[in-house]
Amino acid sequence: MTVTTPQTGAQTGAQSDAAFLADFADRWLAAWNSHDTERVLELLSDDIRWDDRTFWPEVIEGKEGVRAYTEKIWEAMPDVQFAEIERFFAPDARRGIVLFRQTGSGPAKLNPERTFDAHGCDIFLEFHGDQLGSYLSAYDIVPMLQQLGGLPPREGKLGGAYLMSLARGARGSGA
């Protein structure tokens, strides 16, 4: 429900920001599911700060960097789809989190016959006007890679011990 002020008919700040965040989350998921890089970039400010260091080696500054990132996503996961599970908004701060489920086939270079089903979060940290100015991604790539056959089973290893065992294995194999 939208609240309007009697004198102007305008939406109040928190309500208009909540409506904006809800609309943005809808457009965000639609853009990603379209696999159209331009639709994704339209949602971003020119000076976007994009932090997905699970997939990308560094924080990206600017739309052109996000363009390269997005094209690599489509290349690695050409049929990836995102479904919203839940959204959490802080309208007064114009921030939000969208918890999602992502599904798709394995990359051609890894195992295209297998599929993945994993969860993550898109975190909208800051907006510049109606465009996203700061983004943080949060998801665990380990289960995805395990489902695709790219990582060995955990074999009961806890936390970082599993990742360290992978690093030791890579060093031991000459990689």
Side-chain angles (χ1 to χ4, degrees), residues 26-157:
D26 291 341
R27 291 183 292 126
W28 178 260
L29 287 169
W32 280 98
N33 284 328
S34 76
H35 292 216
D36 181 343
T37 299
E38 294 308 314
R39 279 186 68 185
V40 173
L41 294 178
E42 287 172 3
L43 300 172
L44 310 178
S45 67
D46 290 338
D47 60 345
I48 180 74
R49 182 178 192 283
W50 188 277
D51 189 348
D52 178 0
R53 285 178 272 177
T54 301
F55 183 77
W56 206 253
E58 70 271 335
V59 173
I60 299 169
E61 302 284 345
K63 277 187 176 180
E64 287 310 307
V66 177
R67 178 187 304 283
Y69 164 94
T70 306
E71 293 298 326
K72 281 293 184 187
I73 292 286
W74 306 149
E75 181 183 325
M77 302 180 293
D79 65 348
V80 66
Q81 289 293 298
F82 301 90
E84 180 181 311
I85 295 171
E86 186 93 31
R87 51 178 73 171
F88 307 90
F89 295 149
D92 293 340
R94 282 191 105 204
R95 291 190 178 138
I97 297 174
V98 175
L99 175 62
F100 63 79
R101 176 181 179 199
Q102 59 183 334
T103 57
S105 301
K109 294 178 182 177
L110 181 59
N111 195 341
E113 294 81 35
R114 294 182 78 170
T115 60
F116 63 88
D117 187 338
H119 297 87
C121 293
D122 289 319
I123 305 170
F124 310 137
L125 294 171
E126 181 181 349
F127 286 89
H128 300 165
D130 290 343
Q131 293 179 310
L132 186 60
S134 184
Y135 168 82
L136 176 62
S137 179
Y139 59 95
D140 186 355
I141 200 167
V142 171
M144 289 174 68
L145 290 173
Q146 287 174 323
Q147 292 170 40
L148 296 172
L151 289 177
R154 287 184 78 127
E155 297 175 345
K157 294 181 184 88

